[in-house]
Amino acid sequence: MIFCSLASGLSFGHHARGTMATLCFFRFWLGFGIGGDYPLSATIMSEYANKKTRGSFIAAVFAMQGFGILTGGIVGLVVSAAFEHGSTVYPYNNKIDPGLSVPPRADYVWRIILMFGAVPAAMTYYWRMKMPETARYTALIAKNAKKAAEDMAQVLNVEFDPEEAKLERFVEEPSNQYGLFSKEFLHRHGLHLLGTATCWFLLDISFYSQNLFQKNVFTAIGWLPPAANMSGIQEVYKLSRAQTLIALCGTVPGYWVTVLLIDKIGRWVIQLQGFFFMTVFMFALGIPFNHWIKNKIPFIIMYSLTFFFANFGPNATTFVLPAEIFPARLRSTCHGISAAAGKAGAIVGAFGFLYSSEPSQKSKVDPYYNPGIGVRYSLIVLGFISLLGMVFTFLVPEPNGKSLEELSGENEDDSIDAVEESTQDKQGAYNRTIPA
């Protein structure tokens, strides 16, 4: 993540296509790093937290994404304002030369913004390298009960009996040896994986397309001027300002309401109501869209609410659920599959809706784009996609208040469950989980 963020800002090429090809190469490998961090962060937190507060701890890990989105917008604001200050600004439709709308200094703006992505990864690097493997991985996969007990004692400040003989019997049970492509997994968790992967896929179609065609939405209601009336740096500034406002009012609060309530009302309810309200607000924005063109402030409030309920809803729970309901030896893999399905949805949203949200009248289409179905019908389609997400939520179980072994069916003799119950009664287990 550190290397590819820096390398993205240093993308090179003799022509624009060469630079874009280099940028795509480094963004691919950045995605590879982030794709590894998604399941690891969720699994590490789920396996170190106790069952009473596990949901809020995993959700808090994911909620930091909200601050990342907010920081990204602020960085865009600061960098674009700094490069625009004290210089003559030419819009794209100026009468001299459209190329003047992108002066040479504009090339530094996007590079600095992308390179800033290395900062948070660098800040956490030392602590991530010092973090031990989770006890479940060490005990069940590496089969080293003694090391697992030592790691748990170090992190939770509680002494543990390795119980190597019991662990050996537990691991050798046929019910704890099936693989990802086995009939046993299909029978036990096939529908669960279908549910987590499909819900994440549908959520990301909506969530990422909303983020990416914000420009079209804000331009359609007149909150932002058309791209042709701005310079390149001005467009970065005004888009960053709009996205920062949406993040501040809708995105960030949604994440932290989830953290507050997830262990009280459960993951399943949060996901279902999130998809429901996303559906309601998408239809409410899309069907009477012409009305909202004359009422910008109510539109922006309702549009912010779609982000609020995405984050106080499936955007948080699709991250939490796969880290809880699958067996330890397949937990990260199943979470990775679900996250990969989500990013496939992001691709659909990025390419499909970015183009479909263009106006249907050719005269109003941005340069280099083809006519689409317009923002109104794009919002209606996203409403139906969110409705479909509600349906697939019924395939996912509610893990609230249950141990990981109980959820995955690994504890027929309740041996692991008993160990977890005992640790919850010892002083320090809760407090020391936060830095872990």
Side-chain angles (χ1 to χ4, degrees), residues 399-412:
N400 195 23
K402 299 177 182 178
S403 74
L404 296 178
E405 284 68 36
E406 186 181 354
L407 286 163
S408 62
E410 292 174 294
N411 65 330
E412 272 84 1

Side-chain angles (χ1 to χ4, degrees), residues 69-239:
I69 293 169
L70 191 61
T71 304
I74 293 170
V75 170
L77 278 171
V78 171
V79 174
S80 57
F83 277 85
E84 187 184 22
H85 181 70
S87 58
T88 305
V89 175
Y90 293 93
Y92 179 82
N93 60 2
N94 71 83
K95 297 179 180 180
I96 306 169
D97 178 13
L100 293 173
S101 66
V102 190
R105 64 182 178 279
D107 191 53
Y108 293 104
V109 174
W110 68 269
R111 293 179 183 275
I112 292 170
I113 292 171
L114 293 186
M115 292 174 77
F116 191 84
V119 173
M123 288 171 63
T124 61
Y125 185 82
Y126 174 79
W127 288 279
R128 290 299 290 264
M129 293 302 100
K130 298 291 286 184
M131 189 182 296
E133 289 284 4
T134 65
R136 285 177 173 87
Y137 176 87
T138 306
L140 301 177
I141 310 302
K143 297 181 174 58
N144 190 339
K146 186 177 179 181
K147 182 69 166 61
E150 290 172 356
D151 289 343
M152 287 291 283
Q154 176 189 343
V155 172
L156 298 178
N157 200 25
V158 176
E159 291 301 322
F160 287 90
D161 180 0
E163 297 187 289
E164 296 182 61
K166 184 181 288 187
L167 176 67
E168 189 174 339
R169 291 197 304 273
F170 176 80
V171 172
E172 289 178 355
E173 287 178 8
S175 62
N176 294 324
Q177 293 183 337
Y178 60 86
L180 180 65
F181 300 104
S182 65
K183 289 183 180 179
E184 185 68 17
F185 177 85
L186 187 64
H187 173 71
R188 291 192 181 207
H189 300 291
L191 288 177
H192 297 164
L193 185 58
L194 177 64
T196 58
T198 306
C199 286
W200 208 332
F201 173 79
L202 295 169
L203 177 274
D204 276 8
I205 292 177
S206 178
F207 188 73
Y208 279 83
S209 60
Q210 271 186 281
N211 278 286
L212 288 168
F213 77 74
Q214 279 185 52
K215 172 180 74 72
N216 304 57
V217 174
F218 297 146
T219 301
I221 64 166
W223 196 31
L224 290 179
N229 295 346
M230 297 183 283
S231 72
I233 298 177
Q234 274 183 324
E235 188 172 6
V236 172
Y237 179 83
K238 292 187 177 182
L239 273 174

